Amino acid sequence: MGVLNTTPDSFSDGGSYYRSGSLDLDMALARAEQMLREGAAIIDIGGESTRPGAEPVTEQQELDRVVPLVEAISSRLGALISVDTSTPAVMSAAAAAGAGMLNDVRALERPGALEAAAATGLPVCLMHMQGQPGTMQQAPEYSDVVAEVRGYLQHRMQACEEVGIPRSRLILDPGFGFGKTDEHNLALLRKLERVAPEGTPLLAGLSRKSMIGRLLGREVSERLPGSLALAMLAAQRGARILRVHDVAATVDVLRLQQLVDRPD
Ligand code: 8Y7
């Protein structure tokens, strides 16, 4: 899954598709096309930055950023598009514009999100987060992070099933860096298989994250080697989808991992 951010304030590729304050559709399309050429199977499009301190967006701003891009990519490139949103109206509009999957860092907890997601009929990624984006890193606390994340995701799966989103349409994600210390993130990665019940696919987002910065002392622009190492570790522990910024490099790593780890 390649990341295509449409927010002017994303921490890793912020503003790159903005020209005098508005989204440059052609540039964003070119970037999506490049990621597909490099081997991405899914393009993840988001219109709300979850970075601490990011400007809150209105529903209309999110719609304006996301919907035209979903429309352009689905009609011109025919790619599988995931929409990173927690907003019910954006879920409905994105599905109508051709999105093939929903990615919600709030696991459909916003009022109306469960029902809106169910009505689209699309697969949904449910991510765990402790707290809210602005303050989640202040003092994350767990007694058993793996058990708590797994328990939360199981609860959300149940809530989905109750509104008619079957288990077979769900993907689970421990939410690396979302209300977690480095120790929490490391424990979740170490025990990744235990985060999801057998048979439910796992998604992992580790690309360029600040845990790499802290553990290795690296700026965002220096985090590719760390990102690749964590991508491979996650794949070896059962992650089926990796959310990444550097598609070509990650595909190389995964091709080799699969050649070595294939069942004999
Ligand atoms: C994740 C994510 C982000 C993640 C899923 C970043 C939108 C922060 N991270 N979605 N989104 N999982 N499912 O560092 O880990 O890219 S935004």
Side-chain angles (χ1 to χ4, degrees), residues 42 101 123-127 153 157 166-174 192-193 195-204 234 237-242:
I42 309 172
M101 169 180 167
V124 183
C125 178
L126 303 172
M127 197 196 79
L153 292 172
M157 282 181 97
R167 223 160 236 259
S168 59
R169 225 180 274 157
L170 297 175
I171 297 149
L172 302 180
D173 182 342
L192 192 61
E193 298 99 330
V195 167
E198 187 80 34
T200 307
L202 271 166
L203 187 154
R237 285 160 175 76
R240 298 292 305 276
I241 303 175
L242 296 166

Side-chain angles (χ1 to χ4, degrees), residues 127-197:
M127 197 196 79
H128 174 275
M129 165 162 56
Q130 183 180 88
Q132 293 301 316
T135 50
M136 64 190 177
Q137 289 307 106
Q138 282 173 13
E141 225 183 287
Y142 301 84
S143 53
D144 179 340
V145 67
V146 176
E148 285 173 56
V149 168
R150 182 182 52 220
Y152 170 83
L153 292 172
Q154 261 164 4
H155 251 97
R156 297 310 297 160
M157 282 181 97
Q158 257 165 31
C160 284
E161 286 174 315
E162 281 160 22
V163 298
I165 308 172
R167 223 160 236 259
S168 59
R169 225 180 274 157
L170 297 175
I171 297 149
L172 302 180
D173 182 342
F176 291 106
F178 286 84
K180 280 128 192 145
T181 64
D182 295 341
E183 280 308 317
H184 296 142
N185 290 320
L186 292 171
L188 285 166
L189 184 52
R190 208 172 281 132
K191 305 280 167 61
L192 192 61
E193 298 99 330
R194 296 200 208 159
V195 167

Side-chain angles (χ1 to χ4, degrees), residues 3 11 44 50 84 103 105 125 127 173 175-176 178 203-207 209 243 245:
V3 179
F11 88 101
D44 190 45
T50 45
D84 153 26
N103 173 27
V105 299
C125 178
M127 197 196 79
D173 182 342
F176 291 106
F178 286 84
L203 187 154
L206 291 150
S207 181
K209 283 200 172 166
R243 185 179 178 278
H245 301 88

